[in-house]
Amino acid sequence: MSKLKVCIIGLKGSISTVLISGILQSVRNKVKPGALLTDLPVFDRLGMVKLEDIEFGGFDIRDVDMYTSAIENDANNILRLDSDLDIKDKLNAIPVFKGITMNSGDAITALAGEDASLQEKSMINTVNQIRGTLRNFKGSDNCVVVNLASTEENVELSETHSTLEKFELAIENNSKEISPCLLYAYAALKEKIPYVNFTPSIGSEIPALCELAQVNKVPHAGKDGKTGETLVKTALADLFVIRNLDVNIWYGANILGNMDGKILDNSKNASTKIESKKSVLKKCLGYEADSKVRIEYMKSMDDNKVAWDHILFTGFCGAKMMMNFTWFGIDSFLAAPLVIDLVRLINLANNKGDCGIIDEFAVFFKSPMGTDLNSLVRQYQNIEEWAIKHYTNEAENA
Ligand SMILES: NC(=O)c1ccc[n+]([C@@H]2O[C@H](COP(=O)([O-])OP(=O)(O)OC[C@H]3O[C@@H](n4cnc5c(N)ncnc54)[C@H](O)[C@@H]3O)[C@@H](O)[C@H]2O)c1
């Protein structure tokens, strides 16, 4: 099977370095990393790309080498990278391209090192450079672009984003309404490279980019990986629906300490994430409960995340009952396997000729594109059916 090139936007970030280091160690030590949906027989029999056949490259805006960043990002020292010089060489050999910060707001611009980011004034030149970089990186191999960059400020949808023609005109006019995540997504889809948005930023969700994906027959999926509190929420919500128990209050408080948390400490960036987390509950329950989600940055938490949720619900004859749960997660280690699954699956979708939004991948996302389905179990049934459909077609065509 041919190799897969994965281009990561946010290459030096936590999820990215954990997933690349994890794959490199698993391949070297000839062990499975675990926690991959695509290793389950129903998916694996479709012929997933092997981990040793995946190559990485990507864009970032910070002046730090990959190995140093990887050590900082694995604050719990799970991968023991400080004593793994073989991984040091491999990480530092990964191609890193200069990222862009235009219109990305103060929190993200503050991260950027001058030499590590493109300072191009013209938006069209910038896009052309990114497209050229993607083309060279891809060569004649299969390729996927994944957005793992810091969460951008919320984008107000306008005429600019409504059609491909208007969007391309806005690029030529250096529009302030176009942020980096839109430009990266545009460049990928323009190059007919499948695109996954793991972040809450808008990415390929705008109508103009959905149109481009259809025109160029490219698959895309997103947005906002479902790894922690929301994962539990969308599994538990079914319990209340199935027993017809009325949820009155669902309050969730999250604390985290990594760089993602630091960016989310900025209210403009946090609103993108909170919106993504909040919208889920109504879609699962079918009605609006009194619900709040809080995210706080506590530096000493490092990559660890704790979520406390309090649920008040009403049962038979108005009986009030409650449930509390605490989730202790290690953010990047929960996210990394999902990203590996997504790149394998979207590559497969592309090779099978699927295009446009692949809404069957909703099981991976907090705000799945192309569907309102948020129940975890139903989302899983959908992706399983998708896999069975492709397997059956393959068997019939063999
Ligand atoms: N960890 C999780 O469980 C989880 C779940 C869902 C979504 N997410 C989202 O995934 C994204 C990545 O998370 P993380 O923990 O790896 O974050 P991180 O802060 O560790 O890494 C983000 C990286 O993106 C880079 N970056 C920022 N803007 C860029 C740009 N315009 N171009 C290129 N690179 C850019 C930064 O320099 C940094 O290296 C975040 O948006 C986060 O909200 C994470």
Side-chain angles (χ1 to χ4, degrees), residues 45-58:
R45 66 184 183 175
L46 280 165
M48 292 295 149
V49 67
K50 292 192 169 55
L51 298 183
E52 56 266 39
D53 293 329
I54 303 181
E55 278 181 22
F56 293 94

Side-chain angles (χ1 to χ4, degrees), residues 5-23:
K5 302 249 183 83
V6 177
C7 177
I8 296 178
I9 319 294
L11 183 69
K12 298 176 182 176
S14 267
I15 303 179
S16 170
T17 56
V18 163
L19 97 85
I20 298 173
S21 310
I23 288 185

Side-chain angles (χ1 to χ4, degrees), residues 61-63 101 104-114 259 262-263 266:
I61 53 172
R62 286 183 303 130
D63 269 325
T101 56
S104 62
D106 296 341
I108 292 180
T109 311
L111 290 178
E114 267 181 32
M259 197 166 60
K262 195 170 176 192
I263 293 290
N266 183 305

Side-chain angles (χ1 to χ4, degrees), residues 9-10 12-15 59-62 99-100 108 111 148-151 180 184 198-200 224-225 227 258-260 273 331-332 335 366:
I9 319 294
K12 298 176 182 176
S14 267
I15 303 179
F59 295 83
D60 211 294
I61 53 172
R62 286 183 303 130
I100 50 171
I108 292 180
L111 290 178
L148 294 180
S150 315
T151 306
Y184 290 122
F198 199 78
T199 81
D224 201 6
T227 53
N258 56 17
M259 197 166 60
D260 181 30
K273 188 79 159 191
D331 251 9
S332 309
K366 285 197 220 23

Side-chain angles (χ1 to χ4, degrees), residues 3 7 16 28 36 39 90 110 116 155-156 225 227 239 247 262 264 271 288 299 357 371 376:
K3 65 181 162 194
C7 177
S16 170
R28 179 190 61 199
L36 293 177
D39 277 350
K90 287 178 177 149
V155 168
E156 290 291 331
T227 53
L239 176 158
V247 174
K262 195 170 176 192
L264 294 174
S271 68
E288 193 95 64
K299 190 173 183 318
I357 298 171
T371 174
L376 186 71

Side-chain angles (χ1 to χ4, degrees), residues 189-228:
L189 297 174
K190 206 66 188 160
E191 290 301 316
K192 303 189 176 170
I193 299 176
Y195 170 86
V196 174
N197 182 15
F198 199 78
T199 81
S201 309
I202 188 102
S204 62
E205 196 178 28
I206 61 166
L209 294 182
C210 291
E211 186 185 333
L212 175 59
Q214 284 295 350
V215 171
N216 276 358
K217 299 194 171 15
V218 200
H220 61 131
K223 62 179 194 178
D224 201 6
K226 182 155 84 171
T227 53

